Amino acid sequence: MTGVDPSRLDDQQLMKELENIHRTRHDTLLYGSNDALRAHNERMAQLEGEYLRRNPRRTVASGRTREGARDRAPGGAPPPM
């Protein structure tokens, strides 16, 4: 494993690591070697898994669910009121 075990990070450190890995995701996908992408995938899964473990009741926006997505009008616009 590369980096500190996510379970040893405090909440602030975990969020910083998550922000960093999400920020670098696109470039790693487009320009990283297969090994770099594999390592990125593994680390992202570790960090996100730890975040979910710590925050099982996190807020979920209704528009980010299948049902909420179905309620949107074509083109992604909210349904008319």
Side-chain angles (χ1 to χ4, degrees):
M1 178 176 71
T2 302
V4 175
D5 182 335
S7 66
R8 297 183 64 197
L9 299 171
D10 66 31
D11 288 346
Q12 185 176 0
Q13 292 168 323
L14 179 61
M15 288 307 294
K16 186 173 180 163
E17 289 288 321
L18 281 165
E19 289 168 3
N20 183 53
I21 203 157
H22 286 121
R23 186 174 33 77
T24 60
R25 180 65 182 169
H26 191 73
D27 282 345
T28 304
L29 175 63
L30 295 179
Y31 308 114
S33 67
N34 288 340
D35 286 341
L37 186 57
R38 188 172 12 265
H40 204 273
N41 288 342
E42 290 172 10
R43 183 64 173 169
M44 186 180 311
Q46 293 167 352
L47 294 167
E48 288 178 346
E50 180 63 19
Y51 177 82
L52 293 172
R53 185 188 70 73
R54 292 183 194 187
N55 299 281
R57 298 185 197 286
R58 73 193 191 289
T59 302
V60 177
S62 62
R64 301 297 296 181
T65 64
R66 286 180 190 246
E67 184 177 334
R70 287 186 198 108
D71 290 342
R72 287 194 299 256
M81 299 199 117

